[in-house]
């Protein structure tokens, strides 16, 4: 990859579009192309460093007429590289899709067809913001936990209390809530601050590469192992090692991780020599590991070792007026970076801001501020300008004539029979298939909304496998 050009990943299954974009943007960007979510994830996992920018189509195979694959790819790319700036490029010019993509962390939404120069300008602006966020000043900015709500004060107290301990810590919290900031602070506020800091995102690396990355390998241990190489545990030594998205760690490696946490001992892949690391382990996850244990996907003994100290990062919706303090701080910061006058909100817009739950947490808040700074420099904004940037609340289920009016516990057959009797007596034209389809569609859409478009997590929530869920979503799409 060129050192002079910024790297750009384009994910679209239409070769005409990708060829056109490569031609139009290739002079200014080092472009990589993929035609599906799966191929894009594999491509990024195999790279030495992730792309700085991404253009992602929402309608990707195997469901090109739905946005679900695109939504999930946005989530997976940001899990791999939180600093990546993603623009969603889609022919599905639907305001709801645009808002949801931004809630998941996309920097902006661009409707097809788009003019090449305009797209280039947006990409370069996103690159400028990215550079500002990873600069020294932005790093100091992100390290501050801004706010005084009880939830945040508790978090600050836990960080201060646990920072200098040699024992593992487990950080739990929703996507975009700032778990990596908390992990960084645990290291910076400890006596290890001058020692090495390493971070491995377990979701961002191929499962077969996790073990050699963590423990190192000897020459000839596997194809491509052309020399001896140390791993993160060896390199970190007495520093700190963050294992982000620990819930993605393959089950077969969890026993080896448990061993090194308990006594510091490990072996390079292909070696029998015992080595020792004194690194402190910090793990982070947006999954419920207790539920993962029940499902057989995570070891209970590893969970108990990792959670000697457990830190829960509060979602933004639980932080009260802190979201107003964050608004002021980020508005000032991004206006300074862009050399623009900061915007302000009028009274009604401020009320909307304080009541909005920010499902994408701090990441979503920052992206909203960036867009408003660019679109309305120096202006006072009303609800009319702010509302299009926010994702609307999930609508209440419609009481259609063919829908059941209230949920019934399936464990109570008699209650179900009684409700069905009332429903059949009330309806003149009853169709069982319509009723079952309506319930299925409602639950699928609810699960997709709760998991922010993550099909795998939605399938787990619904108690079906991923292939089954894809098939049912596809059937609904054809109706």
């Amino acid at each position: 990859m060129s050192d002079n050009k910024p790297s750009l990943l384009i994910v679209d299954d239409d070769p005409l579009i990708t060829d056109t974009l490569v031609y139009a943007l290739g002079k200014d960007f080092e472009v990589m192309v993929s035609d599906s979510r799966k191929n894009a994830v594999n491509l990024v996992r195999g790279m030495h460093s992730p792309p700085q920018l991404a253009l992602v189509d929402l309608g990707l195979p195997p469901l090109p007429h739905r946005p679900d694959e695109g939504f999930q790819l946005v989530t997976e790319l940001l899990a791999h590289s939180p600093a990546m700036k993603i623009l969603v490029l889609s022919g599905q010019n639907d305001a709801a899709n645009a808002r949801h993509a931004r809630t998941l962390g996309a920097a902006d939404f661009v409707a097809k067809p788009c003019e090449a120069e305009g797209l280039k300008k947006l990409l370069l602006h996103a690159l400028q913001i990215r550079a500002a966020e990873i600069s020294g000043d932005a790093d100091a900015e992100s390290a501050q936990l801004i706010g005084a709500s009880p939830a945040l004060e508790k978090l600050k107290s836990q960080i201060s209390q646990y920072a200098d301990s040699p024992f593992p810590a487990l950080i739990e919290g929703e996507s975009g809530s700032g778990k990596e900031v908390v992990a960084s602070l645990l290291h910076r506020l400890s006596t290890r601050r001058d020692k090495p800091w390493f971070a491995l995102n377990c979701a961002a690396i191929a499962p077969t590469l996790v073990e050699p990355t963590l423990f190192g390998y000897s020459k000839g241990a596997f194809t491509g192992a052309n020399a001896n190489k140390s791993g993160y545990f060896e390199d970190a030594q007495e520093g700190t090692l963050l294992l982000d998205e620990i819930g993605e760690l393959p089950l077969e490696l969890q026993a080896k991780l448990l061993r090194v946490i308990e006594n510091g001992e490990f072996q390079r892949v292909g070696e029998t020599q015992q080595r020792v690391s004194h690194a402190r382990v910090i793990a982070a996850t947006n999954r419920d590991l207790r539920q993962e244990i029940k499902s057989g996907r995570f070891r209970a003994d590893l969970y108990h070792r990792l959670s000697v100290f457990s830190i829960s990062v509060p979602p933004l919706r639980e932080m009260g007026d802190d979201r107003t303090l964050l608004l002021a701080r980020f508005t000032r910061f991004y206006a300074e970076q862009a050399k623009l006058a900061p915007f302000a909100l009028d009274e009604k817009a401020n009320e909307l801001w304080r009541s909005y739950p920010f499902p994408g947490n701090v990441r979503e808040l920052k992206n909203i501020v960036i867009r408003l700074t660019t679109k309305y420099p120096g202006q006072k904004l009303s609800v009319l300008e702010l509302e299009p940037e926010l994702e609307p609340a999930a609508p209440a289920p419609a009481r259609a004539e063919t829908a059941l009016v209230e949920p019934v516990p399936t464990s109570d057959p008699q209650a179900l029979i009684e409700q069905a009797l009332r429903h059949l007596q009330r309806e003149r034209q009853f169709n069982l298939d319509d009723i079952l389809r309506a319930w299925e569609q409602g639950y699928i859409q609810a699960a997709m909304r709760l998991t922010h478009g993550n099909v795998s997590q939605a399938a787990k929530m619904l108690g079906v496998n991923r292939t089954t869920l894809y098939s049912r979503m596809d059937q609904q799409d054809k109706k």
Side-chain angles (χ1 to χ4, degrees), residues 167-242:
F167 301 112
L170 177 65
I171 304 171
E172 299 175 288
E174 297 176 5
S175 295
S177 59
K179 296 185 293 297
E180 62 282 348
V181 172
V182 173
S184 178
L185 281 171
L186 287 171
H187 176 71
R188 293 182 189 184
L189 297 177
S190 75
T191 54
R192 300 170 185 259
R193 66 180 66 90
D194 297 323
K195 301 292 174 62
W197 159 267
F198 284 89
L200 176 68
N201 188 323
C202 300
I205 185 170
T208 54
L209 297 178
V210 176
E211 184 174 7
T213 301
L214 284 176
F215 304 122
Y217 54 85
S218 63
K219 181 179 180 180
F222 50 84
T223 303
N226 299 321
N228 296 330
K229 191 176 188 310
S230 57
Y232 280 16
F233 270 107
E234 196 168 342
D235 293 339
Q237 280 304 316
E238 296 182 357
T240 305
L241 174 59
L242 168 63

Side-chain angles (χ1 to χ4, degrees), residues 55-80:
L55 275 173
V56 173
D57 182 30
L58 285 185
L60 295 171
L63 298 172
H65 301 299
R66 299 179 65 95
D68 308 292
E69 284 288 292
F71 287 155
Q72 186 169 354
L73 180 57
V74 170
T75 301
E76 290 176 335
L77 289 176
L78 288 173
H80 183 101

